[in-house]
């Protein structure tokens, strides 16, 4: 008897239902290395993932949108004494600035090819297909996404004003701080809390509120372990209490040493860096016996969705791939603290925060 021809439309519905069940129970199948950069961006305290850009230009190879923003008022613009104007004096309309935001990073699994007999088995055993193929590649895609986002965060590192006033760290550079010492009696490493506090004090001195997000591994991870500080992608951690103890939200990313450099980590303020995500298959509506382009939820990160594509080829085989588009947007633009961005007619003056982006780089060293 000939192998029955698969009805793909029905098979995909079973895949969608099973992926939906996984999302509800949040089962971390085949969880790999810790992806702290992705965790930090998806942290509810960091604001929502930017999905609104999906509403236009569906199916194109990139999404481009314009974001409007304003610059802050500066203390040097404040008028005093005889310069204080009358409310009847002519004023100036505050200027709005804008920037084009483009999502242009495309990541995908390899194309997986199955003969028709295999696809029949797949659709009869949806769970095995999802566990053995989809979940494995979705895990790998998350890891690749976090690597890319780490590199993007590195590009956003701005000027770091030191709280003790000794100097500043230039944009794109990493400030070195020794956070692990060695006990001279027993020869074991110990955490240097006084030096660690400089990370928190620098953050405050740059006029940022809330608590910083630290993303890294290596010496920073060991400091957190020795200090009994645990946050924020550790299993079974009490989130609020962990932040209260550490004064920061630490996210372990096991690609940081390879992407940023040994023992380097990123510190950034909440609501500064935002994840941009785009699914080509949203609202495509192709659902036939030989072709289907759908969006499936990520079972570990319910906010994320992936494009899943099936195609019956002229070789009488089924091709399958999982993919998405992503990028990062910074709320701090280059002219946010510049003299040129002052409203027309206001005093020309420097801002002490020129070059500060809310993203800082540190190198954690040890003795």
């Amino acid at each position: 008897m000939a192998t029955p021809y698969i009805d793909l439309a029905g098979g995909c519905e079973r895949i969608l239902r099973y992926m939906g069940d996984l999302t509800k129970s949040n089962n971390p199948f085949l969880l790999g290395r810790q992806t702290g950069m992705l965790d930090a961006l998806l942290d509810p305290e960091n604001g929502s993932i930017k999905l609104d850009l999906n509403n236009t230009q569906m199916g194109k190879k990139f999404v481009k949108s314009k974001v409007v923003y304003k610059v802050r008022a500066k203390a040097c613009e404040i008028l005093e004494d005889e310069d204080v104007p009358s409310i009847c004096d002519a004023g100036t309309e505050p200027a709005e600035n804008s920037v084009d935001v483009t999502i242009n990073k495309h990541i995908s699994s390899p194309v997986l090819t199955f003969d028709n007999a295999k696809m029949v088995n797949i659709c009869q055993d949806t769970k095995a297909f999802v566990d053995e193929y989809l979940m494995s590649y979705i895990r790998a895609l998350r890891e690749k996404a976090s690597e890319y986002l780490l590199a993007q965060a590195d590009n956003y590192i701005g000027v770091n004003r030191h709280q003790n006033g000794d100097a500043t760290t230039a944009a794109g550079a990493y400030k070195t701080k020794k956070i692990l010492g060695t006990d001279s009696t027993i020869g074991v490493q110990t955490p240097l809390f006084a030096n660690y506090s400089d990370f928190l004090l620098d953050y405050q001195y740059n006029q940022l509120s809330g608590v910083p997000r630290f993303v890294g591994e290596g010496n920073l991870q060991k400091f957190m372990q020795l200090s009994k500080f645990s946050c924020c992608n550790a299993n079974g951690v009490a989130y609020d209490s962990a932040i209260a103890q550490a004064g920061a939200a630490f996210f372990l990313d096991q690609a940081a040493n390879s992407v940023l450099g040994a023992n380097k980590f990123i510190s950034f303020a909440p609501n500064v860096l935002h994840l941009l995500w785009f699914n080509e298959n949203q609202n495509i509506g192709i659902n036939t016996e030989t072709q289907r382009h759908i969006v499936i939820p990520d079972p570990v990160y319910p906010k994320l969705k992936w494009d899943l594509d099936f195609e019956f080829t002229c070789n009488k085989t089924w091709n399958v791939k999982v993919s998405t588009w992503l990028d990062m947007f910074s709320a701090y633009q280059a002219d946010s603290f510049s003299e040129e961005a002052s409203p027309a007619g206001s005093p020309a003056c420097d801002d002490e925060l020129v070059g500060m982006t809310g993203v800082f780089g540190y190198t954690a060293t040890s003795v």
Side-chain angles (χ1 to χ4, degrees):
M1 179 183 297
T3 301
Y5 183 72
I6 181 176
D7 180 351
L8 182 60
C12 279
E13 292 308 317
R14 285 190 290 273
I15 291 171
L16 281 172
R17 283 197 299 271
Y18 182 59
M19 292 296 290
D21 290 339
L22 286 176
T23 303
K24 292 174 186 175
S25 58
N26 201 29
N27 291 319
F29 282 105
L30 302 177
L31 187 62
R33 64 172 183 249
Q34 295 283 1
T35 52
M37 194 67 221
L38 192 60
D39 292 333
L41 293 173
L42 292 173
D43 177 9
E45 296 298 322
N46 193 57
S48 61
I49 180 175
K50 301 299 181 183
L51 294 172
D52 50 318
L53 300 182
N54 287 6
N55 294 331
T56 59
Q57 302 186 48
M58 290 293 181
K60 294 189 178 179
K61 296 203 175 191
F62 62 90
V63 172
K64 192 171 186 179
S65 183
K66 190 174 291 295
V67 176
V68 176
Y69 65 97
K70 297 181 177 66
V71 298
R72 76 169 192 155
K74 298 175 287 187
C76 58
E77 295 178 50
I78 300 303
L79 303 175
E80 302 177 83
D81 302 327
E82 64 273 9
D83 293 326
V84 174
S86 166
I87 191 63
C88 295
D89 291 347
T92 56
E93 183 177 352
E96 287 187 337
N97 297 321
S98 63
V99 62
D100 288 332
V101 177
T102 303
I103 303 177
N104 51 24
K105 184 63 176 179
H106 197 192
I107 58 175
S108 173
S109 70
V111 174
L112 309 177
T113 299
F114 303 96
D115 61 30
N116 189 60
K118 181 67 173 178
M119 278 299 294
V120 170
N121 293 333
I122 284 172
C123 286
Q124 289 173 346
D125 190 358
T126 302
K127 181 179 183 300
F129 170 69
V130 171
D131 292 350
E132 294 173 18
Y133 297 105
L134 292 190
M135 289 308 306
S136 181
Y137 279 107
I138 287 175
R139 172 193 53 76
L141 283 163
R142 285 196 302 264
E143 293 175 0
K144 179 60 72 174
S146 198
E147 290 176 13
Y148 174 74
L149 295 168
L150 269 172
Q152 291 299 101
D154 176 75
N155 293 333
Y156 282 123
I157 291 175
V159 173
N160 187 353
R161 301 169 65 238
H162 302 175
Q163 58 84 21
N164 61 3
D166 63 355
T168 60
T169 302
Y174 284 74
K175 179 180 178 180
T176 298
K177 205 71 185 175
K178 188 182 301 178
I179 61 172
L180 293 174
T182 301
D183 187 291
S184 59
T185 304
I186 56 178
V188 298
Q189 286 186 316
T190 57
L192 302 178
F193 292 100
N195 286 352
Y196 171 81
S197 69
D198 282 349
F199 301 149
L200 310 182
L201 293 173
D202 284 351
Y203 180 83
Q204 295 170 9
Y205 192 64
N206 284 283
Q207 304 180 21
L208 297 164
S209 60
V211 296
R213 274 75 183 122
F214 294 163
V215 182
E217 57 176 331
N219 286 335
L220 178 64
Q221 179 188 0
K222 189 165 187 179
F223 175 91
M224 292 292 180
Q225 178 70 30
L226 294 174
S227 306
K228 306 286 185 198
F229 294 161
S230 179
C231 194
C232 282
N233 50 1
N235 292 328
V237 65
Y239 184 85
D240 292 337
S241 61
I243 289 179
Q245 285 183 318
F250 168 59
F251 294 86
L252 173 62
D253 195 304
Q254 292 169 315
N257 283 345
S258 60
V259 175
L260 304 176
N263 295 306
K264 291 184 176 181
F265 70 92
I266 297 289
S267 167
F268 70 95
N271 296 303
V272 169
L273 299 179
H274 297 279
L275 176 61
L276 305 175
W277 201 266
F278 172 62
N279 294 116
E280 280 188 358
N281 290 351
Q282 192 73 38
N283 299 324
I284 281 184
I286 298 178
N287 181 14
T288 70
E289 292 183 351
T290 60
Q291 187 180 153
R292 186 77 192 268
H293 305 284
I294 61 177
V295 177
I296 59 174
D298 188 301
V300 178
Y301 296 91
K303 291 182 179 180
L304 300 184
K305 294 179 173 59
W306 302 92
D307 292 321
L308 178 61
D309 298 285
F310 288 88
E311 186 86 24
F312 190 67
T313 73
C314 56
N315 295 323
K316 298 182 180 179
T317 59
W318 290 94
N319 285 353
V320 182
K321 75 168 187 176
V322 187
S323 62
T324 195
W325 294 82
L326 75 152
D327 233 303
M328 179 185 286
F329 172 72
S330 172
Y332 285 42
Q333 296 299 307
D335 56 358
S336 295
F337 304 110
S338 69
E339 179 180 321
E340 293 77 11
S342 299
S346 67
C349 56
D350 292 329
D351 192 319
E352 68 270 22
L353 295 182
V354 168
M356 198 279 295
T357 62
V359 184
F360 312 104
Y362 288 96
T363 302
T365 62
S366 64
V367 177

